Amino acid sequence: MELSGKKVVIIGGTSGIGRAVAARCAALGADIVVASSSPAKVDAARVDLPAGSMAAAVDVTDEQQVAALFEQVGSFDHLVYTAGDWGPMAGARLRDLDLGRAGQVFAVRFWGALAAAKHAHASMPPGGSITLTDGLIAHRPRPGAAVNTAMAGAIEHLVTGLAVELAPVRVNGVCPGLIATDALAAMPAERIATMTARQAVPRAGSPDEAAEAYLYLMRGTYTTGQVIRVDGGMSLT
């Protein structure tokens, strides 16, 4: 299925992987709606995207704002969710974990994704798609990140559950490895080289490379309930 003339909503579409997805979809002739929690990034997106595109500031932790976004969008074909706040508990060892705040790790990536799916699917046609995003930490846990591991794994289970419940709308996920987004820019090159040295593809991926998985899942009309890893083989090491 081609994307020309289709309407694609990308929440998290003003930076990183989401921005790459938006740019690729626009180049393929899709009508683009991007949303972000950052008004500054939304303003920049309005300049960069083709005429007729829509950009909106939305706090995905506020369900009313999410509902209002989809009321404004109306009918559309594909939802991509890449909003990427890992929350305040990343790096906290269990002995130091504040259980009262631990749930905030789920606020954007999990509960925000669920709110988006809840308010989006009724406006989508049969065969339309929802693509969520988790992270390789779901499969490569490390000390100090147990809550993040649980959150990322929960997104993958959410994909399978929603694929059954929302059919014939298709629901899939992408599990990126180390991708060279702005968040990675502050990391020393030597550390990135060490982290990726044992990968089959020994480097960080680009946002455009990650975007290919989202494009496939939008166009792959016989694919649902799946999570594609885009990790250069990191999960194999």
Side-chain angles (χ1 to χ4, degrees), residues 125-179:
S129 72
I130 296 172
T131 306
L132 306 183
T133 305
D134 67 306
L136 198 60
I137 197 168
H139 307 281
R140 294 286 301 272
R142 63 178 184 269
V147 176
N148 298 87
T149 298
M151 181 272 292
I155 293 170
E156 298 198 356
H157 288 288
L158 182 62
V159 163
T160 56
L162 291 181
V164 173
E165 180 168 344
L166 300 185
V169 171
R170 298 178 299 107
V171 184
N172 295 287
V174 176
C175 179
L178 201 64
I179 305 298

Side-chain angles (χ1 to χ4, degrees), residues 60-106:
V60 297
T61 66
D62 183 336
E63 185 179 353
Q64 291 184 344
Q65 290 191 36
V66 175
L69 170 67
F70 288 106
E71 287 178 6
Q72 185 178 4
V73 168
S75 61
F76 70 102
D77 300 282
H78 303 286
L79 169 63
V80 171
Y81 191 94
T82 62
D85 185 350
W86 279 101
M89 301 308 299
R93 295 275 183 153
L94 185 60
R95 64 178 175 270
D96 301 317
L97 191 63
D98 181 344
L99 294 178
R101 298 181 62 209
Q104 294 179 34
V105 173
F106 288 75

